[in-house]
Amino acid sequence: MRITVLAGGVGGARFLQGVRAYAAGLPGSEITAIINTGDDVTMHGLRICPDLDSVMYTLAGAVDTERGWGREGESWRIMDELTEYGAEPTWFSLGDLDIATHLVRTQMLAAGYPLSDVTAALCQRWQTGVRMLPMTDERCETHVVIADHGSRRAIHFQEWWVRHRAGIPALEFVQVGLESARPAAGVVAAIEEADLVLIAPSNPVVSINTILNVPGIGQALRGGPAPVVGLSPIIGDAPVRGMADACLPVLGVQTSAAGVAGLYGARSAGGVLDGWLIHTGDTAELPGIAVLARDLLMTSAEATAAMVADAVRLAGR
Ligand code: FO1
């Protein structure tokens, strides 16, 4: 079975662990992950791709599981030195081990390799068992528009998320570079040739919607032959993880499983979903979307693999 997954960082990484565990029982199956790069940023001259790296480190068993990002057993000597120099930003911490990844990436990009090739090269070391594709090879970064002394100002998503902990009300999310962005090499084929497309329980606004907005990706999902099943990132009225509740109201979407399903929409009505997994006790009634309620807590790869098995059943595969 060929499974293609749309995913963000920390939640997407955990979900992919479950997809990989599910696929381990199906010899010959292939998993492709299309990963959000809207969080990408350049700091201290280094190109940083947080979601790609969170997925890569997690699948490799090299992530710091407590933080969910960066390397296990990390040290911060370079960061300490940068802070001594007063080199901004000091609110975004780069670990010594992690910096090696950014150095390799930055050099390869400067040499002219597209991000998809760079990602494949980095993953060569880690052997993640999942083909990882950035959503686009172009720069397409999420900026957050905030109110500033009576006027509007845009700051990079990382500044809003990490420095301000999403505590400043966002007026709008803007994907800078979206108009000229195209799906990265292999992305459209991975959707068109899949037997099943899964939407991970990642942040629906700044991860999944960002991927869906890349010209060509939403269209491929809507027109593709594979059923598309999503998992709700919201349990009750709160995100499973992260701060999606600071993002959904900006789009006028209720923080609920039903709200997110409405955002993605039914494929039969021009959206992307055929099926939607929600947590036990939640409700989501949308014409054209098959809904299944079950436990959605990703407590282990095995528990998540069981969710994937239910998604496969819901898709009728
Ligand atoms: N998250 C933080 O909360 N603080 C940090 O200093 C930080 C640094 C960082 C460095 C590399 C990287 O790949 C991720 C990093 N993250 C950090 C996580 C990241 O900013 C966000 O959690 C995601 O972009 C949201 O998915």
Side-chain angles (χ1 to χ4, degrees), residues 41-48 89 91-92 94 156 158-159:
V41 67
T42 299
M43 303 224 183
H44 307 292
L46 299 174
R47 191 66 184 153
I48 300 154
W91 47 263
F92 195 79
L94 295 177
H156 191 281
Q158 293 296 346
E159 185 170 357

Side-chain angles (χ1 to χ4, degrees), residues 39 48 50-51 69 91-94 98 157-158 161-162 165:
D39 297 14
I48 300 154
D51 287 2
W69 55 268
W91 47 263
F92 195 79
S93 303
L94 295 177
D98 194 29
F157 168 75
Q158 293 296 346
W161 189 260
V162 172
R165 296 276 152 216

Side-chain angles (χ1 to χ4, degrees), residues 285-302:
E285 293 290 326
L286 276 114
I289 303 178
V291 175
L292 176 75
R294 61 142 16 253
D295 183 347
L296 286 189
L297 293 172
M298 296 191 284
T299 47
S300 66
E302 292 67 36

Side-chain angles (χ1 to χ4, degrees), residues 5-9 16 33-38 50-53 55-56 59 119 130-136 187 207 211:
V5 183
L6 269 53
L16 282 160
I34 299 169
I35 296 168
N36 169 46
T37 55
D51 287 2
L52 282 168
D53 289 348
V55 171
M56 181 174 77
L59 292 174
T119 303
V130 170
R131 186 165 69 113
M132 288 173 46
L133 302 176
M135 65 183 195
T136 179
V187 164
S207 295
I211 301 173

Side-chain angles (χ1 to χ4, degrees), residues 12-234:
R14 276 199 166 199
F15 181 66
L16 282 160
Q17 285 181 309
V19 179
R20 187 175 59 180
Y22 170 79
L26 298 172
S29 48
E30 288 167 25
I31 308 164
T32 302
I34 299 169
I35 296 168
N36 169 46
T37 55
D39 297 14
D40 294 7
V41 67
T42 299
M43 303 224 183
H44 307 292
L46 299 174
R47 191 66 184 153
I48 300 154
C49 301
D51 287 2
L52 282 168
D53 289 348
S54 292
V55 171
M56 181 174 77
Y57 293 153
T58 300
L59 292 174
V63 79
D64 181 299
T65 47
E66 223 143 88
R67 286 195 307 269
W69 55 268
R71 293 283 301 278
E72 185 185 27
E74 189 57 281
S75 54
W76 308 91
R77 297 190 67 191
I78 296 174
M79 199 65 220
D80 290 345
E81 285 296 301
L82 287 168
T83 305
E84 287 297 328
Y85 281 117
E88 291 295 340
T90 48
W91 47 263
F92 195 79
S93 303
L94 295 177
D96 300 334
L97 301 174
D98 194 29
I99 283 173
T101 303
H102 310 317
L103 281 169
V104 173
R105 176 185 294 121
T106 306
Q107 287 177 66
M108 286 189 72
L109 289 171
Y113 291 96
L115 183 60
S116 45
D117 283 358
V118 176
T119 303
L122 291 169
C123 288
Q124 189 68 32
R125 169 185 176 193
W126 296 105
Q127 295 293 309
T128 60
V130 170
R131 186 165 69 113
M132 288 173 46
L133 302 176
M135 65 183 195
T136 179
D137 281 326
E138 269 93 33
R139 275 177 81 146
C140 179
E141 293 177 9
T142 303
H143 286 207
V144 186
V145 180
I146 57 169
D148 188 17
H149 298 97
S151 61
R152 287 159 61 95
R153 187 163 71 91
I155 57 176
H156 191 281
F157 168 75
Q158 293 296 346
E159 185 170 357
W160 183 70
W161 189 260
V162 172
R163 187 180 193 181
H164 301 295
R165 296 276 152 216
I168 302 178
L171 305 178
E172 197 186 337
F173 296 104
V174 179
Q175 283 173 255
V176 179
L178 181 70
E179 296 77 20
S180 53
R182 287 164 296 136
V187 164
V188 170
I191 294 170
E192 289 176 345
E193 292 164 13
D195 297 304
L196 173 66
V197 177
L198 296 173
I199 299 183
S202 297
N203 187 310
V205 180
V206 293
S207 295
I208 302 300
N209 230 27
T210 305
I211 301 173
L212 294 175
N213 285 343
V214 174
I217 295 187
Q219 288 88 326
L221 280 171
R222 281 187 275 277
V228 181
V229 178
L231 287 88
S232 173
I234 308 293

